Amino acid sequence: MKTRSFSAYVALLALALPVVSFATAGPVRAADKPAADTAQPLPFHSIEGPGGGAITPTAYLSNPTPGESGAGKPAFAISYVNLDRKSLTALTASETLYGRLELSVGADQLELGTLPANIKAATTVDINRSSVWLLNLNARYLAVKEAGQVPAVTVGAHYKYNGDIKHIDEALGGALTSIGYKDRQGVDFTVTASKLFPKVGDHPLITTLGLRESKAANLGFLGFGKSYKTSVEGSLIYLPTSNIVVAYEVRQKTSPYGRIPGLIGGENTWHAVDVSYIVNPHSTIVAGYGRFGTLADKDANNAYWFQLKTNL
């Protein structure tokens, strides 16, 4: 199956099915609420797999079980992101064990859009790639449970593997290596804190702040650099009704690479706004808009996305 055909199929499927939230969801209808000790809002999948918003995690794990026993309900999501001249499709899944350990996976395909043609025009080199795949394997542990004024805190490790970027660098005669590329794989480390304020204008507000240590260039879609850099990320999530969620997210980007004019630019802080509708305890609809700045050769400042997520 050709790469472009696969992306088109995933995009159509994401648009045809009830689309599910990138954003963190809130309480469901009263009849569907879980026990008091698990009544906090539950997150959905980021594009990399962990529970959270579109581009950032929250400290709330996906579908924990009451009383920290056994395994929660597994969750699956399919996502489509339009990045102006590029596009992203993501398949994600998660499972939370004993209410404390969230394991998730994300298989992300980035269509490179104009980049291959621009590389060929500038260098005469055909990179023989119209897309790159990024595999994300994530483990997050709830180190501190939310209680009173104490926020929930998770620590995470996120293994990332890009099977295509080394071939692109080799085709370019080591051009990426010359500006800082070192490896096709890397591990991000995160610390994330979230706090629920149940009555802000009579409705719940969730605030999240996180720190990330990473060597990744554009989440790893352009590979990984030589040394770790620290970045800040977070979100504000508000529930004006029991089944509508609005969120603002921000994710600082720290570019590990130099520049190749017209082909590889610097990275910019990502901003995202999500609006979600919780259909039932198992599915949610979201529409999102983002301003992501430079993504390789072009800006992605009019990004929009959809996601379908379901809990078994």
Side-chain angles (χ1 to χ4, degrees), residues 101-293:
L101 178 63
E102 178 193 83
L103 303 175
S104 63
V105 59
D108 295 359
Q109 181 195 44
L110 177 67
E111 291 283 353
L112 296 175
T114 57
L115 183 59
N118 287 342
I119 289 175
K120 189 170 185 179
T123 66
T124 71
V125 173
D126 186 349
I127 62 173
N128 293 314
R129 293 287 190 286
S130 62
S131 67
V132 294
W133 278 90
L134 181 66
L135 175 66
N136 303 270
L137 300 176
N138 312 285
R140 300 198 301 152
Y141 181 73
L142 180 61
V144 179
K145 292 186 68 174
E146 185 174 15
Q149 298 303 309
V150 178
V153 178
T154 59
V155 294
H158 313 269
Y159 172 75
K160 295 166 171 280
Y161 178 80
N162 184 331
D164 299 293
I165 196 66
K166 182 179 180 181
H167 299 290
I168 293 175
D169 184 48
E170 291 173 347
L172 292 172
L176 295 180
T177 299
S178 70
I179 62 170
Y181 166 77
K182 183 181 180 181
D183 208 337
R184 64 171 69 183
Q185 60 189 339
V187 180
D188 285 9
F189 298 96
T190 57
V191 178
T192 308
S194 293
K195 182 71 179 73
L196 171 64
F197 297 92
K199 292 291 183 180
V200 177
D202 291 328
H203 298 284
L205 172 70
I206 303 165
T207 61
T208 296
L209 181 64
L211 294 176
R212 182 180 297 267
E213 291 284 322
S214 179
K215 299 179 182 180
N218 280 295
L219 276 64
F221 287 111
L222 295 184
F224 302 85
K226 299 175 182 178
S227 59
Y228 279 98
K229 294 186 177 182
T230 304
S231 60
V232 178
E233 57 196 37
S235 62
L236 294 173
I237 300 169
Y238 191 64
L239 291 84
T241 73
S242 63
N243 58 356
I244 294 178
V245 181
V246 294
Y248 166 71
E249 302 178 73
V250 60
R251 180 164 174 171
Q252 186 183 34
K253 305 296 293 306
T254 55
S255 177
Y257 291 176
R259 313 287 186 268
I260 301 177
L263 299 178
I264 305 295
E267 297 186 41
N268 304 104
T269 297
W270 285 14
H271 300 269
V273 176
D274 312 309
V275 179
S276 310
Y277 174 68
I278 304 170
V279 179
N280 56 48
H282 305 286
S283 61
T284 307
I285 297 172
V286 72
Y289 175 81
R291 296 187 65 82
F292 298 154

Side-chain angles (χ1 to χ4, degrees), residues 7 80-83 85-89 109-113:
S7 261
Y80 171 74
V81 187
N82 183 287
L83 297 163
R85 299 297 184 92
K86 299 177 178 65
S87 65
L88 170 70
T89 54
Q109 181 195 44
L110 177 67
E111 291 283 353
L112 296 175

Side-chain angles (χ1 to χ4, degrees), residues 7-20 78-80 89 279 283-286 304-309:
S7 261
Y9 173 79
V10 172
L12 288 172
L13 182 58
L15 290 169
L17 293 170
V19 187
V20 174
I78 183 171
S79 311
Y80 171 74
T89 54
V279 179
S283 61
T284 307
I285 297 172
V286 72
Y304 60 87
W305 52 83
F306 307 93
Q307 187 189 75
L308 165 66
K309 178 179 173 291

